[in-house]
Amino acid sequence: MQSSGRQAEAPGRGPRVLVVGGGIAGLGAAQRLCCHPAFPHLRVLEATARAGGRIRSERSFGGVVEVGAHWIHGPSQGNPVFQLAAKYGLLGEKALSEENQLIETGGHVGLPSVSYASSGGSVSPELVAEMARLFYSLIDQTREFLHAAEIPAPSVGEYLKKEIRQHMAGWTEEEETKRLKLAILNNLFNVECCVSGTHSMDLVALSPFGEYTVLPGLDCTFPGGYQGLTDRIMASLPKDVMVFNKPVKTIHWDGSFEEASAPGETFPVLVECEDGGCFPAHHVVVTVPLGFLKERLDTFFEPPLPTEKAEAIRKIGFGTNNKIFLEFEEPFWQPDCQHIQVVWRDTSPLEDTAPKLQDAWFKKLVGFWVLPSFGRASQVLCGFIAGLESEFMETLSDEDVLLSLTQVLRRVTGNPRLPAPRSVLRSRWHSAPYTRGSYSYVAVGSSGDDLDLLAQPLPADGRGAQLQVLFAGEATHRTFYSTTHGALLSGWREADRLIALWDSQAQRPEPGSELGSAPPVPGSRGGWPHPFL
């Protein structure tokens, strides 16, 4: 399986390792392990036909669009995704500049180039800037309750609303302007829902909110597509490591499993796939999305996960943030426009109205980002929408989405003859069977401890074979959850955990001596059996 040089170092020896999931966490773990001579028997089982997971770049509209991860958040030296992308030559000159790396955004979304109201016409940029200053100053305050003895509200949303009510007492404008201010704030709440991957900020826990760490650097994109990064990582792996279209049904652990091709050998873990294939291993690194784990919690592990770990999976939040791409023949926006905000005048974050989704789902859309031009033939806007409205959008036809958003754009621009977009493309992360959403957040009732608990390997009591089941993925990183760099770091973390175990074994007597609790090492027949390939 590996190069002759590696096999010469450890002919037929080393543990069998399975990585479940070929996103950036799984690929990162595999790349790290493949660089170590103790791991010549490694496979990555990917449920779909492609690697990358929630990093997904598609050729469309004459260029590349990001259906999944969009930006490197905090592109600077402390960000391993940025470092790897720079090493592979995947970033533009501006993103690589020291100036760009030093910009402190506070994790806040920049001001829109233009803001349209649902009544038609633009909103005062000064008013938008004033509300953005208020909102983001309050967001900054929410990060100060991490170690507080008492917290003023259980959720970020409730705290923000409480503070906004107090600020409103000092507003002296006429009623219409006050209502417009609230409508702008409502848009900013919806933007924050996209950032956090949640339906409502009322679901996001206040106390641990400040634990999420924002790295310096102005968020940047990949000119050739984010998937260039995962493609490069995958290309560095030996050619037979990746196994596609291999969804896993159940991980049987804490057992003693045998295999005909390795008589006398026992393995503590058996991975059962949907197609009936069963593959014994010493270690399995689980990197599947939290949304998938939540849905399959009762059947994915046998025996079931320890109660505390199962509870952590239930408690940590996992929501949906989708994109809708609209292609136009001619831009209706100005040449220097980068971000179009849409403000619905009849909305307020202080009112808990819940109109029928089919009548108002599009009001959750925060606006559109203008994608770099793919040439004169194609002008593309990318809209963002989170939460239950986003999940409802997935159930609609392309024609329904196109019709609704054409009506929205004609209404907000005040131009009833605005040409309709000529095509639409959208993500459907909640419908994706092996993802079931976008990314994690620390929900009310959970804390950073739950993310750490999810990251702990099994068995937890230290008895029997060690590190049978390990866990990686963005939802296992306490301070970088929801990000690609958190996912990558988690994959490296689990690879390093395995490497440390086997490096320590190399210093000890052979298994079978007084240290027989160590994982058994396969003999010369211990490679992967033929049906796996």
Side-chain angles (χ1 to χ4, degrees):
M1 173 179 129
Q2 306 293 340
S3 67
S4 57
R6 288 250 325 258
Q7 288 195 336
E9 291 178 40
R13 298 185 62 80
R16 289 197 199 173
V17 181
L18 280 174
V19 176
V20 180
I24 195 169
L27 292 172
Q31 187 182 48
R32 197 90 146 193
L33 291 171
C34 279
C35 291
H36 195 282
F39 299 95
H41 308 300
L42 170 73
R43 288 289 186 275
V44 179
L45 301 186
E46 167 53 44
T48 71
R50 53 171 288 278
R54 286 165 277 175
I55 294 174
R56 181 173 179 177
S57 310
E58 285 192 10
R59 293 216 153 266
S60 196
F61 314 124
V64 176
V65 295
E66 304 292 8
V67 177
H70 201 100
W71 290 279
I72 298 179
H73 294 297
S76 50
Q77 293 308 309
N79 186 325
V81 167
F82 172 75
Q83 289 182 312
L84 213 49
K87 172 186 160 187
Y88 288 143
L90 301 174
L91 299 177
E93 198 174 320
K94 183 186 174 189
L96 293 169
S97 69
E98 189 171 346
E99 181 187 4
N100 199 81
Q101 294 179 49
L102 294 174
I103 294 172
E104 295 280 359
T105 67
H108 306 325
V109 176
L111 289 172
S113 310
V114 62
S115 182
Y116 288 119
S118 55
S119 54
S122 59
V123 180
S124 155
E126 291 77 21
L127 202 61
V128 171
E130 180 190 340
M131 288 302 97
R133 280 193 301 273
L134 169 61
F135 183 79
Y136 289 120
S137 70
L138 295 179
I139 285 287
D140 288 341
Q141 287 178 29
T142 63
R143 301 190 182 282
E144 295 171 6
F145 297 105
L146 183 55
H147 302 296
E150 290 184 32
I151 54 168
S155 73
V156 172
E158 288 163 280
Y159 174 78
L160 292 173
K161 288 184 279 190
K162 178 170 160 285
E163 291 295 311
I164 286 167
R165 285 190 184 96
Q166 291 182 4
H167 278 271
M168 279 179 66
W171 290 356
T172 57
E173 301 92 345
E174 57 191 50
E175 283 305 309
E176 188 179 350
T177 304
K178 289 180 182 178
R179 284 199 298 272
L180 183 55
K181 280 184 166 185
L182 287 171
I184 296 167
L185 287 169
N186 195 71
N187 174 275
L188 295 171
F189 268 75
N190 290 341
V191 169
E192 204 61 30
C193 286
C194 290
V195 171
S196 287
T198 185
H199 172 63
S200 166
M201 295 309 292
D202 290 355
L203 301 175
V204 180
L206 176 62
S207 179
F209 193 60
E211 203 155 23
Y212 176 86
T213 302
V214 177
L215 296 172
L218 183 63
D219 293 358
C220 69
T221 58
F222 288 75
Y226 220 127
Q227 203 174 309
L229 178 63
T230 47
D231 286 348
R232 289 294 291 269
I233 298 173
M234 186 173 65
S236 74
L237 304 175
K239 61 178 170 54
D240 54 355
V241 164
M242 295 295 304
V243 184
F244 294 105
N245 299 307
K246 207 74 172 170
V248 170
K249 181 182 178 183
T250 305
I251 296 170
H252 304 268
W253 61 285
D254 207 20
S256 182
F257 303 100
E258 297 182 356
E259 181 182 64
S261 68
E265 185 89 52
T266 61
F267 302 85
V269 189
L270 183 76
V271 173
E272 178 186 357
C273 294
E274 296 278 3
D275 63 6
C278 289
F279 308 105
H282 296 101
H283 310 288
V284 176
V285 185
V286 178
T287 73
V288 299
L290 179 63
F292 176 86
L293 276 184
K294 284 175 176 285
E295 185 174 80
R296 304 286 185 97
L297 187 54
D298 295 335
T299 59
F300 200 62
F301 297 96
E302 180 58 43
L305 293 177
T307 306
E308 320 81 67
K309 189 182 280 281
E311 274 303 301
I313 289 170
R314 290 189 187 99
K315 289 193 293 186
I316 302 167
F318 193 81
T320 304
N321 179 26
N322 274 314
K323 300 178 188 180
I324 307 173
F325 299 93
L326 300 176
E327 181 193 26
F328 295 84
E329 288 190 28
E330 295 291 337
F332 63 83
W333 53 92
Q334 295 299 312
D336 59 348
C337 181
Q338 294 182 325
H339 171 195
I340 299 167
Q341 181 185 47
V342 177
V343 174
W344 290 90
R345 278 184 173 270
D346 57 346
T347 58
S348 164
L350 307 181
E351 295 171 14
D352 292 325
T353 55
K356 290 182 179 178
L357 286 174
Q358 60 263 37
D359 298 331
W361 67 268
F362 44 80
K363 291 187 179 181
K364 194 71 169 284
L365 191 86
V366 299
F368 299 90
W369 273 255
V370 179
L371 297 191
S373 177
F374 299 144
R376 287 193 57 80
S378 188
Q379 304 288 332
V380 181
L381 296 180
C382 174
F384 287 81
I385 182 170
L388 296 178
E389 295 85 353
S390 183
E391 293 169 13
F392 176 77
M393 179 276 298
E394 295 186 26
T395 69
L396 301 174
S397 68
D398 280 356
E399 292 74 23
D400 286 340
V401 172
L402 200 61
L403 179 62
S404 290
L405 296 188
T406 298
Q407 291 172 343
V408 166
L409 288 171
R410 286 173 177 171
R411 177 175 173 176
V412 302
T413 59
N415 179 3
R417 290 184 294 279
L418 187 79
R422 67 182 181 190
S423 66
V424 62
L425 173 72
R426 58 206 160 113
S427 61
R428 295 181 180 89
W429 288 110
H430 185 257
S431 305
Y434 303 110
T435 313
R436 306 301 281 137
S438 298
Y439 38 81
S440 63
Y441 61 93
V442 184
V444 172
S446 67
S447 73
D449 290 344
D450 291 308
L451 282 78
D452 282 347
L453 192 53
L454 178 55
Q456 287 306 303
L458 298 174
D461 56 16
R463 291 183 302 176
Q466 297 175 53
L467 304 186
Q468 295 174 31
V469 186
L470 303 94
F471 294 83
E474 52 85 13
T476 70
H477 199 291
R478 185 165 183 146
T479 59
F480 293 143
Y481 55 87
S482 81
T483 67
T484 56
H485 53 278
L488 179 60
L489 285 169
S490 74
W492 288 353
R493 178 193 68 216
E494 297 312 306
D496 289 344
R497 201 191 297 266
L498 275 180
I499 289 166
L501 173 70
W502 284 88
D503 280 352
S504 71
Q505 293 301 326
Q507 310 302 317
R508 297 180 186 178
E510 283 290 310
S513 69
E514 71 276 8
L515 291 172
S517 63
V521 178
S524 61
R525 293 181 296 272
W528 291 109
H530 176 68
F532 196 83
L533 300 176

